[in-house]
Coordinates of all heavy atoms in Angstrom, one line a residue:
M54 N 20.4 -11.4 7.3 CA 19.7 -10.3 8.1 C 19.2 -9.3 7.1 O 19.9 -8.8 6.2 CB 20.7 -9.8 9.1 CG 20.0 -8.8 10.1 SD 21.1 -8.4 11.5 CE 20.1 -7.4 12.4
A55 N 18.0 -8.8 7.3 CA 17.4 -7.8 6.4 C 18.1 -6.5 6.6 O 18.5 -6.1 7.7 CB 15.9 -7.7 6.7
D56 N 18.1 -5.7 5.6 CA 18.5 -4.3 5.7 C 17.3 -3.5 6.0 O 16.4 -3.3 5.2 CB 19.1 -3.8 4.3 CG 20.5 -4.5 4.1 OD1 21.2 -4.8 5.0 OD2 20.8 -4.7 2.9
W57 N 17.2 -3.0 7.2 CA 16.1 -2.2 7.6 C 16.3 -0.7 7.3 O 17.4 -0.2 7.4 CB 15.9 -2.3 9.1 CG 15.5 -3.7 9.5 CD1 16.3 -4.7 9.9 CD2 14.2 -4.3 9.4 NE1 15.6 -5.9 10.1 CE2 14.3 -5.7 9.8 CE3 12.9 -3.9 8.9 CZ2 13.2 -6.6 9.8 CZ3 11.9 -4.7 8.9 CH2 12.0 -6.1 9.3
T58 N 15.2 0.0 7.0 CA 15.3 1.4 6.7 C 14.4 2.1 7.7 O 13.2 1.7 7.8 CB 14.8 1.7 5.3 OG1 15.7 1.1 4.4 CG2 14.8 3.2 5.0
N59 N 14.9 3.0 8.5 CA 14.1 3.7 9.4 C 13.2 4.7 8.7 O 13.6 5.5 7.8 CB 15.0 4.5 10.4 CG 14.2 5.1 11.6 OD1 13.1 4.6 11.9 ND2 14.8 6.1 12.1
V60 N 11.9 4.7 9.0 CA 10.9 5.6 8.4 C 10.2 6.4 9.5 O 9.2 6.0 10.0 CB 9.9 4.9 7.5 CG1 8.9 5.8 6.8 CG2 10.6 4.0 6.5
P61 N 10.8 7.6 9.8 CA 10.3 8.4 10.9 C 8.8 8.8 10.7 O 8.0 8.9 11.7 CB 11.2 9.6 11.0 CG 12.4 9.2 10.3 CD 12.0 8.2 9.3
E62 N 8.4 9.0 9.5 CA 7.0 9.4 9.2 C 6.0 8.4 9.6 O 4.8 8.7 9.8 CB 6.8 9.7 7.7 CG 7.8 10.6 7.1 CD 9.0 9.9 6.4 OE1 9.6 9.1 7.1 OE2 9.2 10.1 5.2
A63 N 6.4 7.1 9.7 CA 5.5 6.0 10.0 C 4.8 6.2 11.4 O 3.7 5.8 11.6 CB 6.2 4.7 10.0
Q64 N 5.5 6.9 12.3 CA 4.9 7.0 13.6 C 3.7 7.9 13.6 O 2.8 7.8 14.5 CB 6.0 7.6 14.6 CG 7.1 6.6 14.8 CD 8.1 7.1 15.8 OE1 8.0 8.2 16.4 NE2 9.2 6.4 15.9
A65 N 3.6 8.8 12.6 CA 2.4 9.7 12.5 C 1.2 9.0 11.8 O 0.2 9.6 11.7 CB 2.8 11.0 11.8
L66 N 1.4 7.8 11.2 CA 0.4 7.2 10.4 C -0.7 6.6 11.3 O -0.3 5.7 12.1 CB 1.0 6.2 9.5 CG 0.1 5.5 8.4 CD1 -0.5 6.6 7.5 CD2 0.9 4.5 7.6
S67 N -1.9 7.0 11.1 CA -3.0 6.4 11.9 C -3.3 5.0 11.4 O -2.9 4.6 10.4 CB -4.3 7.3 11.8 OG -4.0 8.6 12.1
T68 N -4.1 4.3 12.3 CA -4.5 3.0 11.8 C -5.6 3.2 10.7 O -6.2 4.2 10.6 CB -5.2 2.2 12.9 OG1 -6.2 2.9 13.5 CG2 -4.2 1.8 14.0
D69 N -5.7 2.2 9.8 CA -6.6 2.3 8.6 C -6.3 3.5 7.8 O -7.2 4.3 7.4 CB -8.1 2.3 9.0 CG -8.6 0.9 9.2 OD1 -7.9 -0.1 8.8 OD2 -9.7 0.7 9.9
A70 N -5.0 3.7 7.5 CA -4.6 4.9 6.7 C -3.4 4.5 5.9 O -2.7 3.5 6.1 CB -4.3 6.0 7.6
S71 N -3.1 5.4 4.9 CA -1.9 5.2 4.0 C -1.3 6.5 3.8 O -1.9 7.6 3.9 CB -2.3 4.5 2.7 OG -3.3 5.3 2.1
M72 N 0.0 6.4 3.4 CA 0.8 7.6 3.0 C 1.8 7.3 2.0 O 2.1 6.1 1.8 CB 1.4 8.3 4.3 CG 2.5 7.4 4.8 SD 3.3 7.9 6.4 CE 3.0 9.6 6.6
T73 N 2.4 8.3 1.3 CA 3.4 8.0 0.4 C 4.8 8.4 1.0 O 4.9 9.4 1.7 CB 3.2 8.9 -0.9 OG1 2.0 8.5 -1.5 CG2 4.4 8.8 -1.8
I74 N 5.7 7.5 0.9 CA 7.1 7.7 1.3 C 8.0 7.4 0.2 O 7.7 6.7 -0.8 CB 7.4 6.9 2.6 CG1 7.3 5.4 2.3 CG2 6.6 7.3 3.8 CD1 7.9 4.6 3.5
V75 N 9.2 7.9 0.3 CA 10.3 7.5 -0.7 C 11.4 6.8 0.1 O 11.9 7.4 1.0 CB 10.8 8.7 -1.5 CG1 11.9 8.3 -2.4 CG2 9.6 9.4 -2.2
V76 N 11.7 5.6 -0.3 CA 12.8 4.9 0.3 C 13.8 4.5 -0.7 O 13.5 3.8 -1.7 CB 12.3 3.6 1.0 CG1 13.4 2.8 1.6 CG2 11.3 4.0 2.1
N77 N 15.0 4.9 -0.6 CA 16.1 4.7 -1.5 C 15.7 5.0 -2.9 O 16.0 4.2 -3.9 CB 16.6 3.2 -1.4 CG 17.2 2.9 0.0 OD1 17.7 3.8 0.6 ND2 17.0 1.7 0.4
G78 N 15.0 6.1 -3.1 CA 14.6 6.5 -4.4 C 13.3 5.8 -5.0 O 12.9 6.1 -6.1
T79 N 12.7 5.0 -4.2 CA 11.5 4.2 -4.7 C 10.3 4.8 -4.0 O 10.2 4.9 -2.8 CB 11.6 2.7 -4.4 OG1 12.8 2.2 -5.0 CG2 10.4 1.9 -4.8
D80 N 9.3 5.1 -4.8 CA 8.0 5.6 -4.3 C 7.2 4.4 -3.7 O 6.9 3.4 -4.4 CB 7.2 6.1 -5.5 CG 6.4 7.4 -5.2 OD1 6.7 8.1 -4.3 OD2 5.5 7.6 -6.0
I81 N 6.8 4.5 -2.4 CA 6.2 3.4 -1.7 C 4.9 3.9 -1.0 O 4.9 5.0 -0.5 CB 7.1 2.8 -0.7 CG1 8.2 2.1 -1.4 CG2 6.4 1.9 0.3 CD1 9.3 1.5 -0.5
A82 N 3.8 3.1 -1.1 CA 2.6 3.4 -0.3 C 2.8 2.6 1.0 O 2.9 1.4 1.1 CB 1.4 2.9 -1.0
L83 N 2.9 3.4 2.1 CA 3.0 2.8 3.4 C 1.6 2.8 4.0 O 1.0 3.8 4.1 CB 4.0 3.6 4.3 CG 4.2 3.1 5.7 CD1 5.0 1.8 5.6 CD2 5.0 4.1 6.6
C84 N 1.2 1.6 4.4 CA -0.2 1.4 4.9 C -0.2 0.8 6.3 O 0.7 0.1 6.7 CB -1.0 0.5 4.0 SG -1.0 1.0 2.2
R85 N -1.2 1.1 7.0 CA -1.4 0.6 8.4 C -2.8 0.1 8.5 O -3.7 0.8 8.3 CB -1.1 1.7 9.4 CG -0.8 1.2 10.8 CD -0.3 2.3 11.7 NE 0.0 1.8 13.0 CZ 0.1 2.5 14.1 NH1 -0.1 3.8 14.0 NH2 0.3 1.9 15.2
D86 N -2.9 -1.2 9.0 CA -4.2 -1.7 9.1 C -4.9 -1.4 10.5 O -4.2 -0.7 11.3 CB -4.2 -3.2 8.8 CG -3.5 -4.1 9.9 OD1 -3.2 -3.5 11.0 OD2 -3.4 -5.3 9.6
E87 N -6.0 -2.0 10.7 CA -6.7 -1.6 12.0 C -6.1 -2.2 13.2 O -6.3 -1.7 14.3 CB -8.2 -2.1 11.9 CG -8.3 -3.7 11.8 CD -9.7 -4.1 11.5 OE1 -10.6 -3.3 11.3 OE2 -9.9 -5.4 11.6
D88 N -5.2 -3.2 13.0 CA -4.4 -3.7 14.2 C -3.1 -3.0 14.4 O -2.3 -3.4 15.3 CB -4.2 -5.2 13.9 CG -5.5 -6.0 13.9 OD1 -6.4 -5.7 14.7 OD2 -5.6 -7.0 13.2
G89 N -2.8 -2.0 13.5 CA -1.6 -1.2 13.7 C -0.4 -1.8 12.9 O 0.7 -1.3 13.1
I90 N -0.6 -2.9 12.2 CA 0.5 -3.5 11.4 C 0.7 -2.7 10.1 O -0.2 -2.2 9.5 CB 0.1 -4.9 11.0 CG1 -0.1 -5.8 12.3 CG2 1.2 -5.6 10.2 CD1 -0.6 -7.2 12.1
Y91 N 2.0 -2.5 9.8 CA 2.4 -1.7 8.7 C 2.7 -2.6 7.5 O 3.1 -3.7 7.6 CB 3.7 -1.0 9.0 CG 3.6 0.1 10.0 CD1 3.8 -0.1 11.3 CD2 3.3 1.4 9.5 CE1 3.6 0.9 12.2 CE2 3.2 2.5 10.4 CZ 3.3 2.2 11.8 OH 3.2 3.2 12.7
Y92 N 2.4 -2.1 6.3 CA 2.6 -2.8 5.0 C 3.2 -1.8 4.0 O 2.8 -0.6 4.0 CB 1.3 -3.3 4.4 CG 0.6 -4.3 5.3 CD1 -0.3 -3.9 6.3 CD2 0.9 -5.7 5.2 CE1 -0.9 -4.8 7.1 CE2 0.3 -6.6 6.1 CZ -0.6 -6.1 7.0 OH -1.2 -7.0 7.9
A93 N 4.1 -2.2 3.2 CA 4.7 -1.4 2.2 C 4.4 -2.0 0.8 O 4.7 -3.2 0.5 CB 6.2 -1.2 2.4
L94 N 3.8 -1.2 -0.1 CA 3.4 -1.6 -1.4 C 3.9 -0.6 -2.4 O 4.1 0.6 -2.1 CB 1.9 -1.9 -1.5 CG 1.3 -2.8 -0.5 CD1 0.6 -2.1 0.6 CD2 0.4 -3.8 -1.2
S95 N 3.9 -1.0 -3.7 CA 4.2 -0.1 -4.7 C 3.2 1.0 -4.8 O 2.0 0.8 -4.5 CB 4.4 -0.7 -6.1 OG 3.2 -1.5 -6.4
N96 N 3.6 2.2 -5.1 CA 2.7 3.4 -5.0 C 1.9 3.7 -6.2 O 1.1 4.7 -6.2 CB 3.5 4.6 -4.5 CG 2.6 5.7 -4.0 OD1 1.6 5.4 -3.3 ND2 3.0 6.9 -4.2
R97 N 2.0 2.9 -7.3 CA 1.3 3.2 -8.5 C 0.3 2.1 -8.9 O 0.7 1.0 -9.0 CB 2.2 3.5 -9.7 CG 3.0 4.8 -9.5 CD 2.1 6.0 -9.5 NE 2.9 7.2 -9.1 CZ 2.3 8.4 -8.9 NH1 1.0 8.5 -9.1 NH2 3.0 9.4 -8.6
C98 N -0.9 2.5 -9.0 CA -2.0 1.5 -9.4 C -1.8 1.0 -10.8 O -1.5 1.8 -11.7 CB -3.4 2.3 -9.2 SG -4.8 1.2 -9.6
P99 N -2.0 -0.3 -11.0 CA -1.8 -0.8 -12.4 C -2.9 -0.4 -13.3 O -2.8 -0.5 -14.5 CB -1.9 -2.3 -12.1 CG -2.6 -2.5 -10.8 CD -2.3 -1.3 -10.0
H100 N -4.0 0.2 -12.8 CA -5.1 0.6 -13.7 C -4.7 1.9 -14.5 O -4.5 1.8 -15.7 CB -6.4 0.9 -12.9 CG -7.6 1.3 -13.7 ND1 -8.4 2.3 -13.3 CD2 -8.0 0.9 -14.9 CE1 -9.3 2.5 -14.2 NE2 -9.1 1.6 -15.2
R101 N -4.6 3.0 -13.8 CA -4.2 4.3 -14.4 C -3.2 5.1 -13.6 O -3.2 6.3 -13.6 CB -5.5 5.1 -14.7 CG -6.5 4.5 -15.6 CD -6.3 4.8 -17.0 NE -7.1 4.0 -17.9 CZ -8.3 4.4 -18.4 NH1 -8.7 5.6 -18.2 NH2 -8.9 3.6 -19.2
L102 N -2.4 4.3 -12.9 CA -1.3 4.9 -12.2 C -1.7 5.8 -11.0 O -1.0 6.8 -10.7 CB -0.3 5.6 -13.1 CG 0.3 4.7 -14.2 CD1 1.2 5.5 -15.1 CD2 1.0 3.5 -13.6
G103 N -2.9 5.6 -10.4 CA -3.3 6.4 -9.3 C -2.2 6.2 -8.2 O -1.6 5.2 -8.1
Q104 N -2.1 7.2 -7.3 CA -1.1 7.2 -6.2 C -1.8 6.5 -5.0 O -2.6 7.1 -4.3 CB -0.7 8.6 -5.9 CG 0.5 8.6 -4.9 CD 1.2 9.9 -4.9 OE1 1.9 10.3 -5.8 NE2 1.1 10.6 -3.8
I105 N -1.4 5.2 -4.8 CA -2.0 4.4 -3.8 C -1.9 5.0 -2.4 O -2.8 4.9 -1.6 CB -1.4 3.0 -3.8 CG1 -1.6 2.3 -5.1 CG2 -1.9 2.1 -2.6 CD1 -3.1 2.0 -5.4
G106 N -0.8 5.7 -2.1 CA -0.6 6.3 -0.8 C -1.6 7.3 -0.4 O -1.8 7.7 0.7
D107 N -2.3 7.9 -1.5 CA -3.3 8.9 -1.2 C -4.7 8.2 -1.0 O -5.7 8.9 -0.8 CB -3.4 9.8 -2.4 CG -2.3 10.8 -2.4 OD1 -1.5 10.9 -1.5 OD2 -2.1 11.5 -3.5
G108 N -4.8 6.9 -1.1 CA -6.0 6.2 -0.9 C -6.3 6.0 0.6 O -5.9 6.7 1.4
G109 N -7.1 5.0 0.8 CA -7.4 4.6 2.2 C -7.3 3.2 2.5 O -7.0 2.4 1.5
V110 N -7.4 2.8 3.7 CA -7.3 1.4 4.1 C -8.6 0.9 4.8 O -9.1 1.7 5.6 CB -6.1 1.2 5.1 CG1 -6.1 -0.2 5.6 CG2 -4.8 1.5 4.4
E111 N -9.0 -0.2 4.3 CA -10.3 -0.7 4.8 C -10.3 -2.2 4.8 O -10.1 -2.8 3.8 CB -11.4 -0.1 3.9 CG -12.8 -0.3 4.3 CD -13.8 0.3 3.4 OE1 -13.7 1.5 3.1 OE2 -14.6 -0.4 2.8
N112 N -10.6 -2.8 5.9 CA -10.8 -4.3 6.0 C -9.6 -5.1 5.4 O -9.8 -6.0 4.6 CB -12.1 -4.8 5.3 CG -13.3 -4.2 6.0 OD1 -13.3 -4.1 7.2 ND2 -14.3 -3.9 5.2
G113 N -8.4 -4.6 5.7 CA -7.2 -5.3 5.2 C -6.8 -5.1 3.8 O -6.0 -5.8 3.2
R114 N -7.5 -4.0 3.2 CA -7.2 -3.7 1.8 C -6.9 -2.2 1.6 O -7.4 -1.4 2.4 CB -8.4 -4.0 0.9 CG -8.7 -5.5 0.8 CD -10.0 -5.8 0.2 NE -11.1 -5.3 1.0 CZ -12.1 -4.5 0.7 NH1 -12.1 -4.0 -0.6 NH2 -13.0 -4.1 1.5
V115 N -6.0 -1.9 0.7 CA -5.8 -0.5 0.4 C -6.6 -0.1 -0.9 O -6.7 -0.9 -1.8 CB -4.3 -0.2 0.2 CG1 -3.7 -0.9 -1.0 CG2 -4.0 1.3 0.1
I116 N -7.2 1.0 -0.9 CA -8.1 1.4 -1.9 C -7.5 2.5 -2.8 O -7.1 3.6 -2.2 CB -9.4 2.0 -1.4 CG1 -10.0 1.1 -0.2 CG2 -10.5 2.2 -2.5 CD1 -10.4 -0.3 -0.6
C117 N -7.4 2.4 -4.1 CA -6.9 3.4 -5.0 C -7.8 4.6 -4.9 O -9.0 4.5 -5.1 CB -6.7 2.9 -6.4 SG -6.1 4.1 -7.5
P118 N -7.3 5.8 -4.8 CA -8.1 7.0 -4.7 C -8.8 7.4 -6.0 O -9.8 8.2 -6.0 CB -7.2 8.1 -4.2 CG -5.8 7.7 -4.7 CD -5.8 6.2 -4.7
L119 N -8.3 6.9 -7.1 CA -8.9 7.4 -8.4 C -10.2 6.7 -8.8 O -11.2 7.3 -9.1 CB -7.8 7.3 -9.5 CG -6.6 8.2 -9.5 CD1 -5.8 8.1 -10.8 CD2 -7.1 9.6 -9.2
H120 N -10.2 5.4 -8.8 CA -11.4 4.6 -9.3 C -11.8 3.5 -8.4 O -12.6 2.7 -8.7 CB -11.1 4.1 -10.7 CG -10.6 5.1 -11.7 ND1 -9.3 5.1 -12.1 CD2 -11.2 6.1 -12.3 CE1 -9.1 6.1 -12.9 NE2 -10.2 6.8 -13.1
G121 N -11.1 3.4 -7.2 CA -11.6 2.5 -6.2 C -11.1 1.1 -6.3 O -11.7 0.2 -5.5
W122 N -10.2 0.8 -7.1 CA -9.7 -0.6 -7.1 C -9.1 -0.9 -5.8 O -8.4 0.0 -5.2 CB -8.6 -0.8 -8.2 CG -9.2 -0.9 -9.6 CD1 -10.4 -0.4 -10.1 CD2 -8.5 -1.4 -10.7 NE1 -10.5 -0.6 -11.4 CE2 -9.4 -1.3 -11.9 CE3 -7.3 -2.1 -10.9 CZ2 -9.0 -1.7 -13.1 CZ3 -7.0 -2.5 -12.2 CH2 -7.8 -2.3 -13.3
D123 N -9.2 -2.1 -5.3 CA -8.6 -2.4 -4.0 C -7.6 -3.6 -4.1 O -7.6 -4.4 -5.0 CB -9.7 -2.8 -3.0 CG -10.6 -4.0 -3.4 OD1 -10.5 -4.3 -4.6 OD2 -11.3 -4.5 -2.6
F124 N -6.7 -3.6 -3.1 CA -5.6 -4.5 -3.1 C -5.3 -5.0 -1.7 O -5.3 -4.2 -0.8 CB -4.3 -3.9 -3.7 CG -4.5 -3.3 -5.1 CD1 -4.9 -2.0 -5.2 CD2 -4.3 -4.1 -6.2 CE1 -5.1 -1.5 -6.5 CE2 -4.5 -3.6 -7.5 CZ -4.9 -2.3 -7.6
D125 N -5.1 -6.3 -1.6 CA -4.9 -6.9 -0.3 C -3.6 -6.4 0.3 O -2.5 -6.4 -0.5 CB -4.8 -8.5 -0.5 CG -4.6 -9.2 0.9 OD1 -3.5 -9.3 1.3 OD2 -5.7 -9.5 1.5
L126 N -3.6 -6.0 1.5 CA -2.3 -5.4 2.1 C -1.2 -6.4 2.2 O -0.1 -6.1 2.0 CB -2.6 -4.9 3.5 CG -3.5 -3.6 3.6 CD1 -3.8 -3.3 5.0 CD2 -2.7 -2.4 2.9
R127 N -1.5 -7.7 2.4 CA -0.5 -8.7 2.6 C 0.1 -9.2 1.3 O 1.3 -9.3 1.2 CB -1.0 -9.9 3.3 CG -1.4 -9.6 4.8 CD -2.0 -10.9 5.4 NE -2.6 -10.6 6.7 CZ -1.9 -10.6 7.8 NH1 -0.6 -10.9 7.8 NH2 -2.5 -10.3 8.9
T128 N -0.7 -9.3 0.3 CA -0.2 -9.9 -1.0 C -0.1 -8.9 -2.1 O 0.6 -9.2 -3.1 CB -1.2 -11.0 -1.5 OG1 -2.5 -10.4 -1.8 CG2 -1.4 -12.1 -0.4
G129 N -0.8 -7.8 -2.0 CA -0.9 -6.8 -3.1 C -1.8 -7.2 -4.2 O -2.0 -6.5 -5.2
I130 N -2.5 -8.3 -4.1 CA -3.4 -8.8 -5.1 C -4.8 -8.2 -5.0 O -5.3 -8.1 -3.9 CB -3.5 -10.4 -5.1 CG1 -2.1 -11.0 -5.3 CG2 -4.5 -10.9 -6.0 CD1 -2.0 -12.5 -5.1
S131 N -5.3 -7.9 -6.2 CA -6.7 -7.3 -6.2 C -7.7 -8.5 -6.1 O -7.7 -9.4 -6.8 CB -7.0 -6.6 -7.5 OG -8.4 -6.3 -7.6
P132 N -8.6 -8.4 -5.1 CA -9.6 -9.5 -5.0 C -10.6 -9.5 -6.1 O -11.1 -10.6 -6.5 CB -10.4 -9.2 -3.7 CG -9.9 -7.9 -3.2 CD -8.7 -7.4 -4.0
Y133 N -10.7 -8.4 -6.8 CA -11.6 -8.4 -8.0 C -11.0 -9.1 -9.2 O -11.7 -9.9 -9.9 CB -11.9 -6.9 -8.3 CG -12.8 -6.8 -9.5 CD1 -14.2 -7.1 -9.4 CD2 -12.3 -6.3 -10.7 CE1 -15.0 -7.0 -10.5 CE2 -13.2 -6.2 -11.8 CZ -14.5 -6.5 -11.7 OH -15.3 -6.4 -12.8
N134 N -9.8 -8.8 -9.4 CA -9.1 -9.5 -10.5 C -7.6 -9.8 -10.1 O -6.8 -8.9 -10.1 CB -9.0 -8.6 -11.8 CG -8.4 -9.3 -13.0 OD1 -7.8 -10.4 -12.8 ND2 -8.5 -8.6 -14.1
P135 N -7.4 -11.1 -9.7 CA -6.1 -11.5 -9.2 C -4.9 -11.2 -10.1 O -3.8 -11.3 -9.7 CB -6.3 -13.0 -8.9 CG -7.7 -13.2 -8.7 CD -8.4 -12.2 -9.7
S136 N -5.2 -10.9 -11.4 CA -4.0 -10.6 -12.3 C -3.5 -9.2 -12.1 O -2.5 -8.8 -12.5 CB -4.4 -10.8 -13.7 OG -5.3 -9.9 -14.2
D137 N -4.3 -8.4 -11.3 CA -3.9 -7.0 -11.0 C -3.3 -7.0 -9.6 O -4.0 -7.5 -8.7 CB -5.1 -6.0 -11.0 CG -5.7 -5.9 -12.4 OD1 -4.9 -5.8 -13.4 OD2 -6.9 -5.9 -12.5
R138 N -2.1 -6.5 -9.5 CA -1.5 -6.6 -8.2 C -0.5 -5.4 -8.1 O 0.0 -4.9 -9.0 CB -0.8 -7.9 -8.0 CG 0.3 -8.2 -9.0 CD 1.1 -9.4 -8.7 NE 0.4 -10.5 -8.1 CZ 0.9 -11.5 -7.4 NH1 2.2 -11.6 -7.3 NH2 0.1 -12.5 -6.9
L139 N -0.2 -5.2 -6.8 CA 0.9 -4.2 -6.4 C 2.0 -5.0 -5.9 O 1.9 -6.0 -5.2 CB 0.4 -3.3 -5.3 CG -0.8 -2.4 -5.6 CD1 -1.3 -1.7 -4.4 CD2 -0.5 -1.4 -6.8
Q140 N 3.2 -4.5 -6.2 CA 4.4 -5.1 -5.6 C 4.4 -4.9 -4.1 O 4.0 -3.8 -3.6 CB 5.7 -4.5 -6.2 CG 7.0 -5.1 -5.7 CD 8.2 -4.5 -6.3 OE1 8.1 -3.6 -7.1 NE2 9.3 -5.0 -5.9
T141 N 4.8 -5.9 -3.3 CA 4.9 -5.7 -1.9 C 6.4 -5.7 -1.5 O 7.2 -6.3 -2.2 CB 4.2 -6.9 -1.1 OG1 4.8 -8.1 -1.5 CG2 2.7 -6.9 -1.5
F142 N 6.7 -5.0 -0.4 CA 8.0 -4.9 0.1 C 8.0 -5.4 1.6 O 7.0 -5.2 2.3 CB 8.5 -3.5 0.1 CG 8.5 -2.9 -1.3 CD1 7.4 -2.1 -1.7 CD2 9.5 -3.1 -2.2 CE1 7.3 -1.6 -3.0 CE2 9.5 -2.6 -3.5 CZ 8.4 -1.8 -3.9
P143 N 9.1 -6.0 2.0 CA 9.2 -6.5 3.4 C 9.2 -5.4 4.4 O 9.6 -4.3 4.0 CB 10.5 -7.3 3.4 CG 11.3 -6.8 2.3 CD 10.4 -6.3 1.3
Ligands
LIG216 S1 -6.0 4.4 -11.2 FE1 -6.4 3.1 -9.6 S2 -8.4 2.4 -9.8 FE2 -8.0 3.6 -11.5

């Protein structure tokens, strides 16, 4: 059975949006897609460490706010360059 962590801030997150949360000392980008499904990904972009939680969500991808790299919400993989990815969390 998974260890679940309650994230009260998640209720305030709109669809197609992201925010930064800290869970057990780990910086996480919490994202919500247009269907209201939540995703948790690492919060630092592999390009220049932009804070992913300050970006936006569009068409199932989260967009880094610094230079616009995008990452698939489900896999964390960049469609532009699959070797660039964010860690995903259950
Ligand atoms: S730091 Fe994320 S795209 Fe540059």
Side-chain angles (χ1 to χ4, degrees):
M54 185 169 184
D56 288 330
W57 295 97
T58 300
N59 189 25
V60 181
E62 308 95 304
Q64 293 181 8
L66 187 61
S67 306
T68 56
D69 276 343
S71 58
M72 67 186 338
T73 296
I74 59 171
V75 177
V76 175
N77 298 328
T79 301
D80 217 21
I81 291 176
L83 183 67
C84 305
R85 194 171 183 202
D86 70 9
E87 64 188 8
D88 295 324
I90 299 172
Y91 290 91
Y92 300 89
L94 302 105
S95 56
N96 197 34
R97 291 296 170 186
C98 179
H100 180 222
R101 299 272 170 96
L102 303 180
Q104 188 163 292
I105 297 296
D107 287 347
V110 172
E111 190 177 303
N112 298 325
R114 295 170 289 127
V115 62
I116 316 294
C117 178
L119 291 190
H120 310 103
W122 286 23
D123 58 344
F124 303 89
D125 184 272
L126 288 172
R127 293 177 189 274
T128 64
I130 296 172
S131 169
Y133 179 72
N134 183 351
S136 68
D137 294 319
R138 59 171 39 196
L139 300 173
Q140 181 180 2
T141 59
F142 301 95

